[in-house]
């Protein structure tokens, strides 16, 4: 093995470990049940993705699954998640370095009630605006991926009708945080909307723009160790 190959292997191993940790956290945080939902990260031209139907607490370093941007499996004995079309669509059409898909209860409930989650909190700004609901399509299909892509226009997260959520980011931690915030805002709206005779106060477009501008500097910024060579363009706008 050359020094370059060894270095690439180290990056893949580290990325896989971070992916497994994030996948397990979706269960711990109540964002998925069983083996539902999936997580992926991009390392150059390789997409590491959780496998189909395997409990996350059983995943080992040797279970790493990698595919290219066309979906061709590069390594791993396990089959990639059935939602691979959604993940690959995001990587092909945006500058995403990580994608998180969940079946979060409150967000899924919202997806059955409205065409987009109303702007009930300033953290809506981290998603680029009120997250839209992608029309229902059978899981694992190109139709679902296409519906999702339309809902993600100028956004970094969306709801999937009667299904769940999808978010992406420059890092896995950023994508995960966006998922957690989306579920929180969904729960908040449901709680406020359930009060009889009252309608939730919503933020105006100008208030959202102000929050979005400030949120661009939100959090600590470090170089992403799992995505060397990723173009330094931020998420939020689909590629032309």
């Amino acid at each position: 093995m050359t020094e370059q190959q060894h270095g690439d292997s180290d990056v893949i191993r580290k990325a896989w470990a971070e992916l497994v940790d994030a996948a397990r956290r979706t269960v711990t945080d109540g964002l998925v049940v069983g083996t539902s939902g999936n997580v992926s990260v991009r390392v150059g031209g390789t997409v590491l993705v959780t496998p189909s139907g395997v409990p996350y607490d059983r995943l080992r370093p040797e279970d790493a699954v990698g595919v290219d941007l066309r979906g061709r499996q590069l390594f791993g004995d396990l089959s990639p998640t059935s939602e691979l079309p959604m993940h690959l669509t995001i990587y092909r059409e945006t500058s995403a370095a990580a994608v998180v898909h969940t079946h979060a209860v409150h967000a899924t409930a919202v997806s059955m009630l409205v065409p987009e989650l109303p702007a009930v909190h300033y953290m809506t700004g981290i998603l680029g605006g009120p997250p839209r609901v992608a029309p229902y399509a059978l899981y694992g299909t190109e139709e679902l991926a296409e519906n999702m892509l339309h809902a993600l226009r100028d956004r970094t997260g969306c709801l999937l009708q009667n299904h769940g959520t999808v978010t992406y980011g420059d890092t896995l931690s950023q994508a995960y945080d966006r998922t957690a915030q989306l579920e929180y805002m969904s729960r908040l709206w449901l709680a406020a909307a359930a009060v009889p005779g009252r309608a939730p106060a919503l933020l105006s477009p100008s208030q959202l723009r102000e929050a979005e501008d400030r949120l661009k500097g939100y959090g600590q910024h470090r170089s992403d160790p799992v995505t060397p060579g990723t173009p330094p363009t931020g998420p939020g706008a689909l590629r032309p």
Side-chain angles (χ1 to χ4, degrees):
M1 179 182 293
T2 67
E3 183 176 344
Q4 176 66 41
Q5 289 173 325
H6 181 74
D8 291 345
S9 296
D10 285 344
V11 171
I12 292 292
R13 279 195 292 269
K14 184 171 183 179
W16 176 253
E18 292 179 357
L19 180 151
V20 171
D21 285 345
R24 290 172 177 167
R25 187 180 170 192
T26 63
V27 178
T28 301
D29 291 351
L31 299 175
V32 303
V33 176
T35 61
S36 63
N38 26 78
V39 180
S40 68
V41 294
R42 179 176 178 177
V43 182
T46 299
V47 175
L48 293 170
V49 64
T50 47
S52 177
V54 180
Y56 299 139
D57 60 358
R58 297 182 188 175
L59 290 176
R60 306 163 298 172
E62 57 267 34
D63 292 328
V65 176
V67 301
D68 64 18
L69 292 176
R70 295 175 298 173
R72 182 173 62 93
Q73 192 152 343
L74 302 176
F75 54 82
D77 297 325
L78 300 175
S79 299
T81 173
S82 59
E83 296 290 12
L84 187 60
M86 284 203 306
H87 291 259
L88 295 183
T89 295
I90 291 176
Y91 290 120
R92 288 194 295 259
E93 299 295 336
T94 78
S95 59
V99 176
V100 177
H101 164 52
T102 79
H103 292 179
V105 172
H106 298 93
T108 304
V110 169
S111 80
M112 296 183 281
L113 298 171
V114 290
E116 70 176 27
L117 175 63
V120 292
H121 196 279
Y122 66 81
M123 289 302 282
T124 300
I126 69 170
L127 300 175
R132 307 180 186 96
V133 177
Y136 178 81
L138 182 63
Y139 78 93
T141 62
E142 294 292 344
E143 181 185 5
L144 177 59
E146 187 66 23
N147 291 350
M148 173 208 68
L149 186 61
H150 287 302
L152 283 175
R153 188 183 72 255
D154 300 322
R155 302 285 189 271
T156 55
C158 72
L159 306 174
L160 306 174
Q161 189 176 42
N162 295 78
H163 186 155
T165 68
V166 176
T167 60
Y168 70 89
D170 290 330
T171 65
L172 185 52
S173 61
Q174 185 184 62
Y176 194 96
D177 181 65
R178 287 171 173 166
T179 295
Q181 296 291 348
L182 180 51
E183 172 65 356
Y184 165 74
M185 291 186 291
S186 296
R187 184 177 182 181
L188 180 63
W189 180 75
L190 288 170
V195 177
R198 301 298 297 271
L202 303 179
L203 299 180
S204 67
S206 63
Q207 288 172 323
L208 282 180
R209 285 193 297 271
E210 182 181 37
E212 186 175 356
D213 288 342
R214 176 162 292 192
L215 286 166
K216 288 177 181 177
Y218 179 74
Q220 302 296 319
H221 297 278
R222 299 174 180 172
S223 58
D224 181 6
V226 303
T227 54
T230 300
T233 52
L238 301 179
R239 288 174 179 163

